Each structure stands twice: as structure tokens, then as C-alpha cells.
Amino acid sequence: MPEPAHSFMLTIHVNGVERQVQVDARTTLLDALRDRLHLTGTKKGCALGQCGACTVLLEDRRVVSCLMLAVMAEGKQVTTIEGLARGEELHPVQAAFVEHDAFQCGYCTPGQIMSAVGAIKEGRARSDDEIREQMSGNLCRCGAYTNIVAAVRDAAAQGG
Amino acid sequence: MNAIIGQPVNRVDGPAKVTGHATYAAEFDLPGLAYAVMVLATIPRGHIRSIDRMAAEQAPGVLAVMTHEDAPRLAYKPIAQRPQVDAQSGEQLHVLQDPEVRFNGEPVAVVIAETLEQAVHAADLVQVEYARSPALTIFDATKGRPPSEGNVKAGRVPELGRGEVEAAMAAAPVRISARYVHPREHHNAIEPHVTIAHWEGENLTLYDKTQWVDNDRKEIAHVFGMEEERIRVISPFVGGAFGSALRTWPHVTLAAMAAKRVGRPVRLELTRRQLYMSVGFRPHSEQHLTLGATPEGKLVALEHEVVQQVGRYEEYAETALSPTSHLYQCDNLWARYRLVEMDTNSPCPMRAPGVVTGVLGLEMAMDELATELGLDPLELRLRNYAEQDQQKGLPWSSKELRACYAAAAERFGWSRRKPEPRSMREGGMLVGYGMATAIYHSDRSAGSASVALTGNGMAVVRSAASDMGPGTYTSMTQVAAETLGLPVSHVRFELGDTNLPFAPVHGGSITMASMGNAIVAACQAVQKKLAGLARAAQNGPFAGLPEEAIAAREGGLGRADGSGPVVPYAELLRQHNLGWVEAEGSAQPGEETQKYSSAAFGAIFVEVRVDEALGTVRVPRMVGAYDVGRVINPKTARSQCIGGMVGGLGMALEEQAEWDIRFGKVMNANLAEYLVPVNADVPSLEAIFVPNDDRNFNPLGVKGLAEVAICGVAPAIANAVYHATGRRIRRLPITPERLLS
Ligand code: FES
Ligand code: FES
């Protein structure tokens, strides 16, 4: 592959593992994850910061990875959906999503789950109203919203 | 054996989806993958004068730029019988075959590069000069024309009716008449459409977002003039589609052309903005209804005209008249369907195509009639209950709509509704209760499946079906598990691959009624095959027994009379030194289509709260009750119903393409300006399934669910807004500016 113009070698800590990744200055964190590191659990729904499908945690903060350049993540800790489960054991939010059928097609789901994990960590999932508000940046066209609220409520109660 | 059908089993693909391990079309990791980006026309009609591609070709990383000047001429062989998912008249878009521009957004070039960033950048550098011609960008309902022959043959009739509508209408003591407008809507599944094309010699593999792999293969075979056997389509997970991935769009062809040109696998993913011009939409519609009734509320005459937009190069038409033809008892009916040609990409089916539109008009008009009569809206529906399909003159294969009305009204608390508009208030808000009926015709198609019983006690069930979200993986696993007498954990269902047995389209709510029965047949076939082996054996528990003396029971075979032990399948395989045994089965519609009319039904009740100062409408709760025949999995079925409610809420209050007549273009082509419901919009949704088991329709007793779930929601909300405010908003969506004006 010819050397792309303005290319950089970055170090990003993804799910606790130090990864080297060659990116273009224009590469988003989302495309770096999906196309360079083949961590395709993080989804692209709009690439415009409007749907939340690409949500990951950057140093424990929720970010839409399509609006962040990969170079901005240099040296940082990124947690993606692939980094939640411990082996076969699902993270409580993941387990609650399965139990409450909080998805249909599953395409918005990784983003929903990362948002929920972030919101619970921030202490912003204390009531159904708050969960609905905090989760409203994550669109679900299959309309699983009420099940998502039930799942997040459950996971938050277990300390998520 | 505990029943597995009817249990709220968790999705079998749930763990894959929540861990990010479910692989959607864009995510297949092929060595040497290159990236394609489309350049789209920016005029609504005309032709390309010149294309300057030099800068793009010289941009770093660019492998090729392809335009109509150098794209290969493709075969585009006619298909004798167009599949039902295609427009039934006209001709599909021939991509990069000539300099014509037929609509704003038609692909005019494709750029292929080493990386996505390079391809996006180079696509920006392609300079196209156009010569504009006059374009049809205005929807004028008076310019409607009847559908063409191909569409009429496919059931999109220009007119239908019965009785003497004119005389009956003239004599009707009570009449209401109204016009309803419903804008162009976009599917906006969260997964964009995407194709990876990979040629190996003359063989092509497509990793595609599609609701029908078999048809994808067939279409591309015709476009390229190649044998179907040389094409394989793989699509294990679909990130929502709602109809947009039924047919095969031009970008699939482009991806295959691009891959051929550069001799590498190529991924072509549409951007969110491009989706609005590339993969169809629900067409803009205007409809006019006149209802005539007796003072007691018996419908005596019904007139309904629907006018929809259509593209000019091909003609997609809908069955918008179908609900009017049979939802209520009415002896005199006349309905008309017209199309208005516009220069736009072609519309296509979107969840409950046509029917959702027809139900919208009819159910808003019924509410207006109830007001005129001073009757409760629910009572009006009951007084016109259709005991049979009057248009077809056939009995329903089953109909539990009365039970739906009763269950939903009770659960909702409809009796607390004060009849007068503007009579209910809470916390400074106007409160409104509204309801509507839902209907969607039930169909089934021929399909097939294979089942392999393996030595380790597993069953592997395969079919080229699809799962865009309703839970095909899970419900089919349940059907197979129950038929084979195995636990769910011992059954694996594989789908989404043209190498698997043929399946019909995953759309129109036909999947379970079609494939469920095929899977039952395949399970029974493999049991029979195993029984045959056991009977023919020298020894063993079933040696020499007649066929009818053996029955499938509890995960194995036993004697039909119940004597003796049940021998598990795996044990039988071991006895015969077999690693596995496999059989195919299929199912198809039968004479029931001649004897009955089949449909799923629903009743939707909603509460709205209107802030008159701001013009905002909130929907704190919705209750739906559904007759969908037998429910295979109440958990996933419920998810489909609440999903339909959310879709209907979008239709009523939020969704509309803003169309600019100067450019013939959707101006809000993104998810911030084209509004869709968010989590905070839908606090409480309840779905009730009334008991039914429609064996008249098919052996499994299911009817179909996805489409009926969206029908009726938008009119129920609009009717509730009337009840809250005393204002009929007849143009959707009901936005604050419309409520305030
Ligand atoms: S893909 Fe990032 S917000 Fe939609
Ligand atoms: S599950 Fe399909 S978009 Fe949310």
C-alpha cells in the first residue's frame, strides 16, 4: 500500500491493549477502529455526529468517535464494545440488553451500550426520566427505546 | 416436552449483537480491500456536458475513476417476471451507462482509492458540467395518471369498487369529506447501505445489506449478463432496513463494476446524505375521502382517492386502496389510485407500504365521521365491523379484531375519555385520547430449508432467509427446536447466504408464515429419513417396523404406541455409523388463498398532551392490541410492536423530507434535520396479543406482525390531537408550527 499523504503512526490504548495504528490526518477515530484495527463492533450510522452508533468511551467519557480525529486519541485510553465482556461473561449492561430485548437489528446497540455504561458511571442514570434524557443521543430506528430504558435501569441498579 | 413455541426466549444472536461480534455487510475483512465513493448529480434533469477527472485521478491513493465515458456497458438483461420487490413498470436505473441525468443524486462517477479518506477527497475533485433541462419537481395532485399495465397486473389497480356509490352517497343522511397529506418519508435504518464486491476470476461474491440474498444474486446476474451460479451473496446481519433493502439498488452494481476495474475487493458504503437519493423512500401522498353514513353510524358509501408521487424512469406503485376495500362493512365503495410523475429517485416499499397510507386516511376520516355523528370513535368501528372481506367476497381465515378493541380499550382506560374536544386537561396541558384500527394483509410465499442432525446432538437448520431485526434467527430456532423436540441450545439456524436453500423475500411480514412452515417440513423430512434408516437396519430398536409405527418424540425416535424408550437422534446416528443426516423441506401457499382472505389486525389507543402555547405534542403512552395469529416468541414480537409504535409516532409528529423544488432535492438529508423519534419521545408503550391460531391460513397458525404494528399509529395520534385541541391537522407531521398556525 503506497504511503498515504499526511500519514501518522499513532499509539492508542484500546480496551487496555496498546495498539499501533497508521492513519491519515483525516482519519476519524471511528474509521481507525473499524477499518484499521478491525474492531467493527463500533458502528457507523451517520458519520455526522447525529446518531450515536459510534459511541465509545475516551478516558471514561462518552464520545461520538465519528466526530473525533484518530490523531486526537493519541496516547489515550479508548474503550469499545469489544472491551466490556470478561471472556464469555457479559458486562451487566450487555446482559440486561439481552434480557430486556433492548434491540432488534442490533446496529445501534454497541453505541447504546457504551452510552449506558458511560451514563451509569457518571451517576446519570438515577431515574427513568434521566435515562431517557441521557440516552436520547443514541437513535434506534427499530424503536427499542422503552426496552433500552428497562435494561439501563436494571443494570444501573446492579451497579452497572 | 415443554412448548418452545410461544415462549419469550432471549434472542439467540443477542450475545453476538451486544458484544460487537455480529458481522454486518461493511465489516467483512478482505485482504486488499479498496474503497469506492460515489459522485452524485447535482441537477434534477439534463445531461452531463463534460467531466474533468484529472485532479481526482492524480490524487494520492486513487486507483481509478469511472464515469459513463469509460464504464463497461452492462447487459441489463430484461427479467421476464420482475420480482415483487421491484418497480413493476418502467426500467431500473442503468448506472453510468449514458450522459443522461434523470434525478438529482443519480451517480455520475465513482472513485476508488486505497483508503476511504483518499476516495472521499478525490470524489470532491471530480468536476462535472451539466446542461439542465426542465424538470418535474412539483407535486401537483391534479396531474395524476393511472398506474401502467405492469403495476395493474401486480395488483396496483387504478380503480376498485362495489355497489352504487354515487346514489348511495347522495342519499346518505350524514357525510364528511376531507383531504389528508403525508410527506415523503425515509427509512433511515441506522446501518447505511453498503456492498463489498469481490471478484475471483469470473466469480463474484457480494457482502451486501439485503433483505433477500437470492434476489440480489438474480438481479446482479441480469445486470451483468452472467450466470447466477457465479454469484454468491452473503448477508448474515442486517442493521435495519424497513423495506429499503428489499430490492437491489444501483450502488450494488457500481461496487461490482468498481471491484472489476481495480481487480481488488471494493467496499462501497453510502453516506447518510446519499441514502436520501439512492435507496428509495415512502412516496409523498395526498388523499381525499368522503364517507356517507346513516345517523346511527352505518357506513353507506365510501369514496377514497389516493395520489402519490412516482419517479419517471420506473414506476413504483403501492396497494394504498387495499385497507379501504375491506376494513369496514360498506356496500357502496369507489376508490381510485393515481401517480404523479416527478424527477426523483424511485420510491420503494417502506414498512407497510401503501397500506399504512390508506389506513391513515381512512382512520382519520372515521374519526371525523364519529365527531359528526356524535358517536364514540370505537363504537363507530364496531358498528361497521366487517365480518368478511367484502371486496373479495371471502370469509377471513380468522379475525379477532373485536377482542383487540376490547383488550386495548380496557387496558388504556378508554372509558375515562370525555367525548368533547378540549374537555380534558392536566397540569396546564390539553389531554387527548385517540384510537385507530390497524390491518395488514397476510401473505406467504414458497420457501425451503434444510436440517442436519449431527452426531453431537445438534441440529443445524439452514435457509437463505434474512433477519433485519424481527428475530428470524430466534423464532426459526424455536420452531425447529419444538418440531425436533430439542432444546433451543441444541439448534443452530443459519441464514443470509445464497448457498443455502431458497427463501422468499424478508418483507411484507411473510417470513414466519413462509419460512416457519418450510422449517417444520424440513424437520419432519429429516426425522422421516432417520426413521427410514432405522427401519431398514438389520437390528436396533426399530428394525423392520412399518413406517407408521415410528414417531418423532422428545429429541429422538420412539414407537408410535408410546412403548419402549425414545432413542435420541445422536444415538441413532451412532448406531448407523453416521456423522450426520440431512434433509430438505419446503412449504408453499395452498388453496387457502382461494378460500379465505387473511390479515393481521390491531387496535391502537394513544394519549397525547398538547402545550397550546408552544404547539408541542407529547405522547406519554400508547397501548396496542394485536391479532397476529399465533405468536412464536412474545418477547421479540412485543419488540416489533413497540418498534412499530415508535415508527408511527415519527410519522405523526416528526418525519418529513423537506423538498426543494428548485433542485428537486431533499434538503434535510441527515438525521439532525430529518427528525426521527428519540428515547425521550416514548415513555410508555404496551403491546397485547389476543389469543389466536390461524390454521386456516397456514399449519403454523401465524399471520405476520411487522407491518400491522405501524399501521394505525399515526391516525390514532392525529385523532388524539383533535380530541385534545379541537383542531384537525390533516397534513402530517403535526409540527408545532402547524398547530400554532
Ligand atoms: S456515526 Fe457517529 S454519531 Fe452517527
Ligand atoms: S436495534 Fe436497530 S437501530 Fe436500534
Side-chain angles (χ1 to χ4, degrees), chain B residues 47 318 423:
Chain B
H47 66 269
E318 303 195 319
S423 62

Side-chain angles (χ1 to χ4, degrees), chain A residues 30 43-54 64-66:
Chain A
L30 173 61
K43 303 303 182 194
K44 180 185 280 189
C46 67
L48 298 166
Q50 301 170 338
C51 75
C54 63
V64 280
S65 60
C66 71

Side-chain angles (χ1 to χ4, degrees), chain B residues 469-552:
Chain B
T472 314
Y473 275 111
T474 310
S475 52
M476 296 302 165
T477 300
Q478 285 176 261
V479 169
E482 173 143 328
T483 314
L484 294 168
L486 292 172
V488 163
S489 58
H490 286 51
V491 177
R492 192 172 77 234
F493 182 56
E494 296 176 357
L495 55 67
D497 184 338
T498 47
N499 280 357
L500 306 180
F502 174 86
V505 63
H506 179 43
S509 302
I510 70 165
T511 298
M512 184 45 80
S514 309
M515 288 313 305
N517 288 297
I519 283 168
V520 170
C523 291
Q524 288 167 344
V526 79
Q527 286 164 331
K528 199 166 167 196
K529 192 163 173 183
L530 197 52
L533 290 171
R535 282 165 46 225
Q538 295 293 315
N539 43 40
F542 308 112
L545 287 178
E547 189 174 347
E548 61 281 3
I550 306 178

Side-chain angles (χ1 to χ4, degrees), chain B residues 294-475:
Chain B
T294 66
E296 297 72 40
K298 286 291 295 174
L299 284 171
V300 292
L302 211 171
E303 289 175 15
H304 191 178
E305 181 179 38
V306 181
V307 189
Q308 288 185 318
Q309 71 182 145
V310 69
R312 268 167 89 184
Y313 55 97
E314 67 178 355
E315 185 183 300
Y316 166 73
E318 303 195 319
T319 51
L321 307 181
S322 127
T324 300
S325 78
H326 59 198
L327 185 51
Y328 296 111
Q329 174 78 24
C330 182
D331 295 341
N332 305 294
L333 177 140
W334 174 84
R336 183 158 98 160
Y337 181 69
R338 290 294 183 264
L339 296 167
V340 175
E341 290 184 6
M342 292 177 70
D343 289 314
T344 169
N345 54 313
S346 187
C348 79
M350 179 166 163
R351 202 168 186 177
V355 175
V356 82
T357 307
V359 167
L360 174 76
L362 182 59
E363 287 300 286
M364 286 179 76
M366 285 295 275
D367 203 69
E368 302 212 26
L369 181 63
T371 304
E372 188 69 24
L373 291 161
L375 253 189
D376 181 276
L378 172 55
E379 181 58 31
L380 178 65
R381 268 88 175 172
L382 290 168
R383 288 191 188 175
N384 293 285
Y385 197 82
E387 299 291 354
Q388 59 156 351
D389 182 331
Q390 223 180 343
Q391 190 65 26
K392 288 189 187 156
L394 291 174
W396 302 107
S397 56
S398 73
K399 180 175 180 179
E400 294 297 332
L401 178 57
R402 270 201 193 87
C404 295
Y405 287 135
E410 162 73 25
R411 179 77 202 155
F412 180 84
W414 182 250
S415 59
R416 293 198 301 270
R417 179 182 189 265
K418 296 193 192 133
E420 271 304 295
R422 304 183 64 84
S423 62
M424 295 169 69
R425 274 174 200 272
E426 210 176 298
M429 301 273 196
L430 289 166
V431 176
Y433 285 5
M435 59 84 57
T437 313
I439 184 171
Y440 194 84
H441 51 88
S442 300
D443 292 315
R444 56 192 288 234
S445 276
S448 54
S450 68
V451 178
L453 296 170
T454 67
N456 62 3
M458 287 289 295
V460 182
V461 185
R462 297 188 174 99
S463 171
S466 169
D467 188 349
M468 63 171 152
T472 314
Y473 275 111
T474 310
S475 52

Side-chain angles (χ1 to χ4, degrees), chain B residues 5-26:
Chain B
I5 290 178
Q7 293 303 308
V9 173
N10 283 344
R11 272 173 212 266
V12 297
D13 52 340
K17 284 178 173 174
V18 300
T19 54
H21 292 122
T23 308
Y24 297 80

Side-chain angles (χ1 to χ4, degrees), chain A residues 27 34-36 38 40 43-45 50 81 94 99 101 104-106 136 141-142 145-147 149, chain B residues 10-11 17-18 24 27 29 117 186-188 240 267 272 468-469 635 638-639 643 655 670-671 677 680:
Chain A
T27 306
R34 280 174 71 78
D35 293 342
R36 309 294 207 279
H38 302 294
T40 55
K43 303 303 182 194
K44 180 185 280 189
Q50 301 170 338
I81 191 75
Q94 291 173 317
E99 191 53 41
D101 208 37
Q104 288 199 69
C105 77
S136 277
R141 194 60 166 152
C142 298
Y145 294 131
T146 53
N147 292 356
V149 173
Chain B
N10 283 344
R11 272 173 212 266
K17 284 178 173 174
V18 300
Y24 297 80
E27 299 165 357
D29 180 15
E117 296 80 19
H186 289 264
H187 307 74
N188 274 316
R267 185 174 88 193
R272 180 55 56 183
M468 63 171 152
K635 188 176 258 193
R638 184 180 164 276
S639 292
E655 296 186 38
N670 64 80
L671 289 168

